Amino acid sequence: MKTCTIGFTRKSAETFFAALRGNDVARVIDVRLNNVSQLAGFAKRDDLRYFLETICGAQYLHVPDLAPTPEMLKAYQGKAMPWEQFEDRFLDLMAQRHVERVIDKSLLDHGCLLCSEHEPHHCHRRLVADYLNESWGSILEVNHLY
């Protein structure tokens, strides 16, 4: 199953939507805690839903079970928690939530995990993709879009 991840920061709307269209994304799975921030620009929930449907013919889903807790995110962003500790705690959280049983595998087929970070290296969307892929027996072919 082909799956993508993407962050919207440091991308123009043109680049963002072209990447989704160019990779035949059928649905965007928003894994952000806050999907209505004014700082999100074109990626605010209601605008994004409209743009995805109109430009890409894609569905929008917000799945907060795939987001970190507010406390965890605040500690990491405030540099009180290093990436390695965030990664361990976040993966534990995914296990506690049993996301591998809760999330329908078909959502990731031509799906794209969305977060704000420009690159996936230090972003929980990559951790979600890796966790689900490992849990599901490596059935996902993950492409991180830049």
Side-chain angles (χ1 to χ4, degrees), residues 17 29 31 43 49 54 58 68 75 83 88 97-98 101 121 135 142:
F17 292 107
I29 301 113
V31 298
R49 180 179 286 122
T54 303
W83 172 254
D88 289 343
R97 290 178 176 170
H98 303 287
R101 289 186 268 177
H121 315 301
S135 297
V142 181

Side-chain angles (χ1 to χ4, degrees), residues 1-6 23-31 59 61 63 66 99-114 125-133 136 139-143:
M1 293 193 310
K2 293 186 179 196
T3 300
C4 299
T5 77
I6 194 168
N23 284 277
D24 298 319
V25 170
R27 74 199 53 76
V28 169
I29 301 113
D30 189 341
V31 298
Q59 180 184 18
L61 301 165
V63 184
L66 299 178
V99 297
E100 69 278 7
R101 289 186 268 177
V102 174
I103 302 300
D104 185 340
K105 292 176 187 170
S106 67
L107 291 179
L108 279 299
D109 190 18
H110 292 279
C112 184
L113 298 171
L114 167 75
R125 71 178 186 269
R126 177 188 57 82
L127 299 177
V128 169
D130 291 349
Y131 178 87
L132 291 175
N133 207 19
W136 293 340
I139 64 170
L140 301 176
E141 180 184 320
V142 181
N143 181 16

Side-chain angles (χ1 to χ4, degrees), residues 1-21:
M1 293 193 310
K2 293 186 179 196
T3 300
C4 299
T5 77
I6 194 168
F8 66 86
T9 56
R10 293 200 249 166
K11 288 178 185 65
S12 67
E14 180 179 2
T15 299
F16 179 84
F17 292 107
L20 296 175
R21 286 184 66 185

